[in-house]
Amino acid sequence: MQPFIIFFIYVLSIEVFAELVPEGSPESGAVPKQVIVVSAKALDFQSKGQNVSYKKIDIKKQNLEIKPTVVDVLRVEPGLEVFNQGGPGKVSKLFLRGTNSEHTLVLIDGIEVNDSSSPGRAFDFAHTDLNNIESIEVIKGPQSVAYGSDALGGVIHIKTMEGKGKFQPRLLTEVGSFGSRKLSVGALQGDSKNKYSVLLSYRQADGFSSANEKDGNHEKDGYEQIDFSSKWNSRLSESISSEVVVKFVDAKNELDRNGGSGADDPNSEEGARQFFAKLELSTFFWSDQLESKILLNYSKTHRKNKNLPDPISSLFQDDFFQGEGVKLQWLNNYSRNPSLFLQWGGDYELEEVSSNQFSSRKARSFAGFFQVKKQWNSLYSSLGLRYGRQIEGSAQAITYQSELGYNFVSSGTKISASLSSGFKNPSLSQLYHPTTGKTTLDPEEVVGWEVGVEQSLWENHVESRWVYFDNDFKNLISFDSMTTKSINLGESRIRGLEWSHQFFYNKETYFSWAYSHFFEIKNTANNTKLIRRPRNTWKGTIASKWKRVGVQINYRYVGQRDDFQAVDFQKVQAPSYEVFDLSLDYKLKGGSQFYMRFNNLLNTNYEEVDGFGTPGFSVFSGVQWVM
C-alpha cells in the first residue's frame, strides 16, 4: 500500500500548492508541451498518448551525437539496464523494467530487428552504432496491442535521420583507448518532394580481455565493424508518399571461452551480419482524415561461431545460425477531429531459421488490431484490442490495452493510469530445436498496470515524473531438466517505482536525475530473485553549454543484484558500483565540432556480468565535420 499512499499524497500536495499560488506567478506552472512519440507501426496513435511511460530521446537536441553506440545512450535512462559481456562488440542485453531481454521489441525505422535465430528471439545491441540516428523512443510496459509479439516489457524504436535542406556531406573521425578508431562518411539532402540520408562507417578496436583481467586473463579480444545505413523519402503525388530504408552491418568479434579464471581463448571468433530493409507506401483520403499504409519489412541475421583447438583450449566449434523474417503490414489512422482518433490494421509474418545443428524451419503468424482514443477537454482515455495467432504450433492470444488520464491545467499536473496485456509467441528454436524443442508451446503472457504523475513547475523549468508499475508474467518458457524439453512453466512478478526529475536553468543548462526501485522482482514459481536485476539504481546528468563549449557529466549507480558465477554457475550476489563519465565538445563553424570523452573517470573496478571485463579509465577524441 505504501506506493499508493505516496502517489496520492503527492497528487494532493500539488493540488493544494496550486490553490495557494496566485495565477500568473512563476510558481503557478504551465501544462508541459507534449512530447510527440512517432512510431512506424503506431504512427499517430502514440503521438496522441499522454502516458508518462512514453519518452523520446532526441540525439542532436540532447547533444548525444558524440556517444559511440545506442547502448551508451540507453544506459542513463531510468528503468533500463544494459549488461555487456566484456567490452566493445560483445553481447549487450537490455532489461526494460526488469523484464527479460527477449521481452523488449526493438525496431529500426519500423523494422522489427529481434534476432529470430537466437534461442529467445532477443536483440543484441552490441553492433548498433549511433551513426545516422536521429532519435530513440522508449515505450515501457506491455505494448502488444499496437506492436504484437515480443513487446511484453516494452518497445525500443530507433529512428535514422531524414534528409533536409541543401546537400550536406558529413565526416567523422575518432581515436581512443584500447586501440579504438572510427571513420564515417555520409550525406543528407531534402526538399518538399525528395529526401535522403546515407552513411557508411568503419569501427575497430584492439579491445581488452573479454574475460576479466583480474582473474588472470590478458589476451586482448578485438572488434571490427562496417555499418551502412540509408533512408529515402519521396512524395509521389499530392496524396501518396513512400519511404525506403536499407541497413547493413558486418561485424567480426574476438571472444573468450567464458568469464572468470582461465577463460582466455586466443582464436575464438564470432561473425555477425545483419541486413534490414523496408518499403512503405502511404496515401491519404477524405481530406487527409484517413491515412492508409502498406509496409513490407525484411530482416536477416547471420551469426557464425568458430573456435579451433589451441594450447590453452581443446574446444572445437564451427557453427552458424541464420534467421530471416518477412512482414507485411496494413495500417490505418483516422482522425475526424483532434479529440477522436482511431487506428486499425493487420499483419502477416513469415520467419525462417536455419543452422548446421538442425534443418531449416519456418513459422507463419497473422494478427489484427483496433485502437480508439478519445479526449474530453482535460480528460482522455484509450482502448485497444488485438488477436494474433501462430499458424505452426498452437500459440494464439487476445491482448488488450486501456488508459485513462487527466490534466490539471491550473497546476500543470498530469495523472494517468493504464491496464494492458501482452504476449510473445514461442521462438523457432523453442518450437523446433532437435533436442529441446516442443511444438505445443503456448505464448508467454503478461498483465500489467501502472499509475503515474507528471508535474511541471515554474514555466516548465522543473519537470518531475513518478510511475508505479506492476507486471505479472505467466507461461514463461523454460527448460525442463526431466524431459530435456522447453515447457510453459515459469511465472514472475515485477513491481516497482520510477522517479525522475529535471531542472532546466536555461536552454543551455540542465540537471536531471532518476531513481528506480523494485519492490518485488522474482520468479514466483520457485520464489527466487531474477538474475542481474538491481533492486536500486540512481542515474544523473549535468549538462551545460557556454558559447561554443559544451560539458556533460553522467553518473550511474547500480545496486546489488544476483548473478551466476562464470566458472561454476552458482548463484552469487554481485556488488554495487558507481561510474562517472565526462564529455566535452567545442563547436566549430558550420555545425562541425571537436569532442572528447572521458569514461569511467574514477577508474572503478566493476563487473556488469560476473567474470567479464569492463573498461577502466579511458579517453576518446574525434572531429565531426559538417560541410
Side-chain angles (χ1 to χ4, degrees):
M1 291 297 293
Q2 288 183 351
F4 300 100
I5 296 173
I6 296 172
F7 175 83
F8 286 111
I9 290 177
Y10 179 79
V11 175
L12 181 61
S13 66
I14 291 297
E15 293 309 303
V16 173
F17 178 81
E19 294 297 324
L20 295 176
V21 176
E23 289 187 27
S25 67
E27 289 81 9
S28 63
V31 177
K33 185 178 180 180
Q34 181 179 327
V35 176
I36 298 178
V37 178
V38 182
S39 299
K41 283 186 63 179
L43 180 65
D44 290 319
F45 194 84
Q46 300 293 7
S47 71
K48 304 288 183 182
Q50 307 275 348
N51 195 300
V52 294
S53 291
Y54 296 130
K55 183 175 181 181
K56 177 178 178 179
I57 305 169
D58 190 308
I59 301 300
K60 185 174 183 179
K61 184 178 179 181
Q62 296 176 229
N63 199 32
L64 300 173
E65 297 170 295
I66 64 177
K67 291 186 178 293
T69 67
V70 169
V71 163
D72 293 286
V73 173
L74 295 178
R75 280 188 193 281
V76 298
E77 289 300 312
L80 280 75
E81 298 303 324
V82 180
F83 293 91
N84 170 265
Q85 292 184 203
K90 308 306 182 282
V91 173
S92 299
K93 296 296 179 68
L94 179 144
F95 296 156
L96 183 55
R97 277 189 179 168
T99 58
N100 294 342
S101 58
E102 64 266 26
H103 292 161
T104 297
L105 177 65
V106 182
L107 309 172
I108 298 179
D109 287 322
I111 308 167
E112 295 185 9
V113 297
N114 288 50
D115 183 5
S116 55
S117 71
S118 69
R121 206 175 182 273
F123 180 72
D124 183 2
F125 283 86
H127 314 303
T128 312
D129 275 7
L130 209 58
N131 296 322
N132 211 30
I133 303 301
E134 185 172 89
S135 65
I136 304 172
E137 296 154 9
V138 180
I139 311 176
K140 301 174 185 176
Q143 302 293 328
S144 287
V145 168
Y147 295 91
S149 179
D150 297 341
L152 280 79
V155 176
I156 303 293
H157 187 191
I158 302 165
K159 293 192 67 180
T160 59
M161 292 182 181
E162 283 190 3
K164 57 183 177 181
K166 63 181 182 179
F167 179 67
Q168 186 181 87
R170 304 167 70 90
L171 172 67
L172 183 144
T173 60
E174 178 183 297
V175 295
S177 300
F178 315 117
S180 299
R181 43 213 176 268
K182 180 177 179 180
L183 174 66
S184 66
V185 293
L188 303 171
Q189 188 175 13
D191 54 32
S192 59
K193 291 187 176 181
N194 297 286
K195 304 176 183 179
Y196 74 88
S197 68
V198 59
L199 187 136
L200 177 66
S201 70
Y202 173 79
R203 181 162 66 109
Q204 186 179 20
D206 297 335
F208 49 85
S209 178
S210 175
N212 204 325
E213 292 184 1
K214 72 178 180 63
D215 296 320
N217 305 289
H218 301 290
E219 179 252 340
K220 294 182 179 180
D221 295 302
Y223 179 67
E224 187 177 15
Q225 175 182 311
I226 296 174
D227 189 332
F228 173 78
S229 175
S230 67
K231 178 190 284 187
W232 301 77
N233 300 85
S234 299
R235 179 167 289 279
L236 306 178
S237 70
E238 288 297 321
S239 60
I240 301 176
S241 61
S242 67
E243 180 173 277
V244 178
V245 176
V246 175
K247 183 174 177 63
F248 173 77
V249 175
D250 187 357
K252 296 179 181 179
N253 212 354
E254 296 177 354
L255 305 174
D256 281 330
R257 186 173 66 257
N258 203 341
S261 178
D264 262 344
D265 197 329
N267 55 10
S268 178
E269 298 178 350
E270 177 192 57
R273 288 186 177 181
Q274 301 172 334
F275 179 76
F276 310 120
K278 180 184 78 169
L279 172 62
E280 176 183 313
L281 292 174
S282 304
T283 185
F284 288 87
F285 303 96
W286 303 339
S287 301
D288 294 344
Q289 293 181 10
L290 173 64
E291 179 188 25
S292 187
K293 289 188 170 192
I294 297 291
L295 302 94
L296 180 62
N297 300 333
Y298 174 78
S299 64
K300 180 178 180 179
T301 299
H302 182 95
R303 296 180 290 114
K304 186 171 183 178
N305 299 91
K306 188 172 184 179
N307 190 4
L308 300 178
D310 56 72
I312 298 179
S313 170
S314 60
L315 180 67
F316 174 80
Q317 183 181 22
D318 191 5
D319 299 319
F320 81 87
F321 303 88
Q322 179 171 292
E324 291 184 85
V326 178
K327 190 164 190 175
L328 180 64
Q329 297 172 268
W330 176 52
L331 179 65
N332 300 275
N333 299 312
Y334 175 76
S335 181
R336 186 174 181 179
N337 55 64
S339 65
L340 178 65
F341 187 83
L342 306 177
Q343 185 183 69
W344 70 94
D347 55 63
Y348 172 84
E349 185 172 13
L350 170 65
E351 286 186 296
E352 181 176 4
V353 168
S354 57
S355 171
N356 64 304
Q357 297 183 1
F358 54 88
S359 59
S360 175
R361 292 289 189 171
K362 297 180 180 180
R364 297 165 295 166
S365 60
F366 66 88
F369 76 98
F370 174 82
Q371 297 186 99
V372 57
K373 184 175 289 290
K374 176 65 177 175
Q375 184 161 349
W376 299 270
N377 297 321
S378 296
L379 178 68
Y380 57 89
S381 65
S382 67
L383 178 66
L385 293 171
R386 170 183 282 261
Y387 172 77
R389 180 179 179 183
Q390 195 174 43
I391 298 175
E392 284 75 17
S394 59
Q396 60 179 332
I398 297 176
T399 55
Y400 56 86
Q401 187 167 18
S402 60
E403 178 187 354
L404 183 66
Y406 192 87
N407 284 334
F408 295 92
V409 178
S410 61
S411 63
T413 307
K414 180 194 299 182
I415 63 172
S416 66
S418 66
L419 173 67
S420 56
S421 65
F423 75 100
K424 181 183 184 303
N425 287 328
S427 70
L428 286 170
S429 177
Q430 291 165 339
L431 289 171
Y432 299 119
H433 191 279
T435 304
T436 62
K438 185 178 181 181
T439 58
T440 57
L441 290 171
D442 293 322
E444 299 180 320
E445 298 179 8
V446 63
V447 175
W449 61 272
E450 66 179 53
V451 290
V453 171
E454 189 173 353
Q455 177 64 47
S456 178
L457 294 172
W458 301 312
E459 297 180 338
N460 298 329
H461 283 288
V462 176
E463 294 181 2
S464 294
R465 183 178 295 189
W466 296 63
V467 182
Y468 174 81
F469 57 91
D470 192 333
N471 296 320
D472 275 304
F473 295 82
K474 67 176 184 179
N475 289 338
L476 295 178
I477 298 173
S478 57
F479 176 73
D480 182 13
S481 59
M482 298 294 293
T483 63
T484 69
K485 296 291 184 180
S486 297
I487 58 172
N488 293 106
L489 182 64
E491 296 181 355
S492 65
R493 186 182 184 190
I494 302 174
R495 59 187 184 93
L497 176 70
E498 293 172 3
W499 183 13
S500 60
H501 185 84
Q502 289 183 305
F503 172 70
F504 299 90
Y505 180 74
N506 53 40
K507 292 182 179 180
E508 308 296 337
T509 302
Y510 74 90
F511 164 74
S512 67
W513 63 272
Y515 172 66
S516 299
H517 175 76
F518 289 114
F519 297 101
E520 187 175 11
I521 183 162
K522 67 179 182 180
N523 183 330
T524 53
N526 56 21
N527 199 32
T528 59
K529 294 180 181 178
L530 298 181
I531 298 298
R532 293 173 195 154
R533 272 69 159 194
R535 185 172 289 273
N536 299 288
T537 59
W538 291 88
K539 300 179 181 182
T541 298
I542 300 175
S544 183
K545 293 180 182 180
W546 184 76
K547 294 184 178 181
R548 294 189 176 186
V549 179
V551 180
Q552 186 171 122
I553 301 174
N554 296 117
Y555 165 80
R556 68 181 189 274
Y557 165 84
V558 177
Q560 293 180 342
R561 62 221 173 271
D562 284 357
D563 202 348
F564 288 123
Q565 280 189 330
V567 177
D568 56 12
F569 300 102
Q570 296 297 310
K571 185 176 288 188
V572 296
Q573 187 175 76
S576 61
Y577 63 86
E578 297 175 287
V579 177
F580 288 87
D581 298 325
L582 168 67
S583 62
L584 305 171
D585 64 89
Y586 181 81
K587 300 298 182 183
L588 306 172
K589 292 183 179 180
S592 302
Q593 65 176 342
F594 168 78
Y595 64 85
M596 296 188 71
R597 298 193 310 273
F598 303 87
N599 293 344
N600 195 356
L601 277 173
L602 304 183
N603 198 30
T604 302
N605 185 6
Y606 68 100
E607 291 180 340
E608 293 182 343
V609 179
D610 186 83
F612 289 89
T614 54
F617 174 73
S618 48
V619 182
F620 304 86
S621 63
V623 180
Q624 185 178 56
W625 297 98
V626 179
M627 306 174 192

